[in-house]
Amino acid sequence: MRAFLAGVLATLVALAVTAVLVVASLPVADAAPSTRAPATPSTPPAVPAPASVAKGETWLADVDLSSSRVLTSDGPLTDVTARGAGVRLTTDGLRAQRLDLDAVFPFATVARQIGNNVELYDAGGGRVGVRRTETVLGRRLAVRATATVTAGNGQLVIVPTSVDLGGPELLDSALSTAARELVTIRHTVTGLPAGVRLTGVKVEQDGFRATLTGSDVVLTQ
């Protein structure tokens, strides 16, 4: 994830710098007397501009990038929107005073990060389904659960509302406490740089719609 975020910002900066160079290379026509009323001053950027930048550095007030699909070494993401503010490209890497990322993380990608034979799927009604086959109190059982999903203290928190062991009600009652622990998940999204954390999550048909936010973020490849 760290490399992905660095790549996102690097792409944003590269596109912005390229646009500036293209505009600067255009021929300039002689100015004609203007009959237009003075332009209304533009709204100042939310992040104040620095007094200066070092040689070779680039600073951007705000940058945006959207992509329907992104592939990373940690797995794919879809419907990605990234926004940076106060982005500075330096010889040491990229720095952003603020970084916001909204993307869908497919269930398989998150399940692979969690591990422990966990399977995740859309259970409908904004809830996630969890499957896990494990030995519970000496019995090999396939545990299924329907769970709520929230973002808590920067973690993905999955808490079951119902647990099914696929057996008689007596068996379900006897093992439900142990089984519930198996499908209660608190997962920290891996690879995030310091200052970036998960702030929101909801279940969609193809995965988790996640919101990540950071301030004073330093990114290096």
Side-chain angles (χ1 to χ4, degrees):
M1 179 62 71
R2 188 192 311 273
F4 163 67
L5 291 175
V8 166
L9 277 183
T11 300
L12 293 172
V13 172
L15 290 174
V17 172
T18 300
V20 170
L21 292 175
V22 169
V23 172
S25 67
L26 295 176
V28 179
D30 292 337
S34 176
T35 58
R36 296 182 181 180
T40 302
S42 60
T43 302
V47 176
S52 63
V53 294
K55 183 177 181 180
E57 290 188 355
T58 302
W59 182 89
L60 297 95
D62 50 75
V63 287
D64 294 271
L65 175 68
S66 297
S67 178
S68 60
R69 185 172 177 82
V70 173
L71 298 178
T72 78
S73 58
D74 295 324
L77 297 88
T78 61
D79 196 15
V80 178
T81 301
R83 300 181 181 88
V87 178
R88 185 189 293 260
L89 175 62
T90 74
T91 55
D92 296 326
L94 292 161
R95 297 173 179 269
Q97 288 181 254
R98 182 174 178 84
L99 178 64
D100 297 294
L101 177 71
D102 185 89
V104 175
F105 289 73
F107 293 120
T109 298
V110 178
R112 187 163 53 250
Q113 283 194 14
I114 294 171
N116 298 318
N117 301 316
V118 168
E119 295 180 51
L120 303 170
Y121 57 93
D122 179 20
R127 303 197 177 197
V128 66
V130 185
R131 294 192 190 97
R132 183 178 176 188
T133 301
E134 192 58 82
T135 300
V136 181
L137 300 181
R139 297 174 181 266
R140 187 71 174 174
L141 299 174
V143 183
R144 297 181 57 185
T146 300
T148 59
V149 181
T150 57
N153 295 322
Q155 291 184 309
L156 176 70
V157 181
I158 299 176
V159 178
T161 56
S162 64
V163 178
D164 178 15
L165 302 182
E169 292 185 4
L170 179 63
L171 177 65
D172 287 357
S173 176
L175 299 176
S176 62
T177 299
R180 183 174 294 271
E181 293 179 359
L182 288 175
V183 288
T184 299
I185 298 168
R186 292 182 177 274
H187 173 64
T188 300
V189 179
T190 60
L192 295 179
V196 175
R197 59 184 296 171
L198 180 72
T199 57
V201 64
K202 63 179 182 179
V203 178
E204 296 191 352
Q205 183 176 2
D206 299 324
F208 297 102
R209 166 75 62 180
T211 302
L212 300 108
T213 303
S215 57
D216 297 323
V217 181
V218 178
L219 298 168
T220 56
Q221 288 282 17

